[in-house]
Amino acid sequence: MESELVKAIHNRTARIVVIGLGYVGLPVACMFAKAGFQVVGIRRNSEKIAQINRGICPIEGKEPGLPELLAEVIREGRLKATTDYTECRQAQIALVAVETPVDKATRKPGYEALQAALQELGQNLQPGTLVIIESTIAPRTMETVVKPVLEQASGLKVNEDFYLANCPERVMPGKLLANIEHCSRVVGGMSPETAQAAVELYRCIVKADLDPTDCLTAELVKTVENTYRDVQIAFANEVALLCENVGADVWAVRQLVNKSPQRDMHLPGPGVGGHCIPKDPWLLVHGAQGNFEAKLIPTARAINDSMPLHIVELVEEALRQAGKEIQEARIAVLGYAYKENTDDTRNSPAIPLIRHLEELGAEVTVHDPYVRGYDGDPKKMLTGRDCVVVMAAHDQYRELDLENLKAQLRLPVLVDGRNVFGMKQAHEAGFIYKGVGNV
Ligand code: SAJ
């Protein structure tokens, strides 16, 4: 396997099929095409396929370099998109980059898209093909889902007839291409030779470290690195709640804590959103077997998921200090995206916040300069409001003049989920102020 396939990788004659052309699949298909490979992208949605084959990038939001690169590789005929899985019959390499959502109620991974892709790929799988899973999956998924589905659908045996690896994606919305080139990658293989062949492939587009290992380790690295972040954020949030309880400023505490060596207290906030941090801890926990019961990881998730509700409590307290009940209040929410300076609203903490405020009877208006439909003139939507709630630290909000803001509002109430303004500045401008970790 190695000499033939690795030779075809080195001389770029290996044909690559990429299954799934979303945030993960499309940029990687473009990068391999740019590296000189003939690439076929497969996805279900034929409308988006037509767009891609016209060289038009279907991904919303600013992705530096991606629209231009897509247009170039389509023009050069190096990439084409299709719904036709029989294209896999001509491929020596198949990447799978389909979504692996986690069910919000059961916390279990939804592998429907993955299994469908594997079934279709398996039915067209040719001997000698290297299959690489880029989707984020729970530990043990390669062994218990991917391998059996591919073997059953193809009638081929892994490590004898075809080769199986996983190279978890490390995409970041807004930096999709840069991350592929500059982020190190873990490359798991069902055999050391397979991991090495996959390293040779990614060497064509990745300038950072490529670390060969086994499939289970690669599954664990991806889910643990994001769970680490979720637990760290939950710690910062719990310290913020404790600081509120004792009347301290968590931001001053954090700054001084992080002056001590090997400390990296994360930022408290109004909740944890995005496409991976809220999901990957559940994938990690799902991968455990038997009667293993995680304690810290689900608790951290519960703390982070409770933060939007905590913001509602701060709003209620601040309005009461201003003599207003929440059911009579007009509230302006600044920031619908899940974090600063992005248009991505997936799992945004602003979504449950707005729902809870409206359930309590408040009239809520939302602004976000990056999100279509919420990007109007902030001044207009702030006029006559009883409370402003900051949920994303967009640069534009940092430039707001609090004196002018106070003149526009019906009541000078500011609840700050991201420490954009801070207590001192807000009090000097005459606001009733409640910040996460600083009330
Ligand atoms: N957040 C906090 N406090 C923090 C850091 C983040 O409340 O100290 C919140 C953010 O506001 C957001 C959520 O957590 O709502 C997730 O933020 P994030 O900075 O982790 O952003 P993501 O979701 O784009 O995470 C990605 C991940 N990268 C990949 O999966 C390849 C993550 O592993 C990276 O650490 C992160 O980007 C990054 O560092 O930018």
Side-chain angles (χ1 to χ4, degrees), residues 7 18 94 115 140 187:
K7 208 185 301 174
V18 177
Q115 284 173 319
R140 297 189 311 111
V187 186

Coordinates of all heavy atoms in Angstrom, one line a residue, residues 7 18 94 115 140 187:
K7 N 3.6 7.1 -3.4 CA 4.2 7.6 -4.7 C 3.1 8.5 -5.4 O 3.4 9.6 -5.8 CB 4.6 6.4 -5.6 CG 5.7 6.7 -6.6 CD 6.0 5.6 -7.5 CE 6.3 4.3 -6.8 NZ 6.4 3.1 -7.7
V18 N -13.7 14.3 -1.6 CA -14.0 14.9 -0.3 C -15.5 14.8 -0.1 O -16.3 15.4 -0.9 CB -13.5 16.3 -0.2 CG1 -13.9 16.9 1.2 CG2 -12.0 16.4 -0.4
A94 N -10.1 9.1 0.1 CA -11.5 9.6 0.3 C -11.5 10.3 1.7 O -11.2 9.6 2.7 CB -12.5 8.5 0.3
Q115 N -23.0 8.0 9.0 CA -23.3 6.6 8.5 C -23.7 6.6 7.1 O -23.4 5.7 6.3 CB -24.3 6.0 9.5 CG -23.6 5.6 10.8 CD -24.5 5.1 11.9 OE1 -25.6 5.6 12.1 NE2 -24.1 4.1 12.6
R140 N -13.5 5.9 20.1 CA -14.0 4.5 19.8 C -14.9 4.5 18.6 O -15.4 3.4 18.2 CB -14.6 3.8 21.0 CG -13.6 3.6 22.2 CD -14.0 2.7 23.3 NE -15.4 3.0 23.7 CZ -16.4 2.3 23.5 NH1 -16.3 1.2 22.9 NH2 -17.6 2.7 24.0
V187 N -2.7 12.8 13.4 CA -3.1 11.9 12.3 C -3.2 10.4 12.8 O -2.1 9.8 13.0 CB -2.1 12.0 11.1 CG1 -2.6 11.2 9.9 CG2 -1.9 13.5 10.7

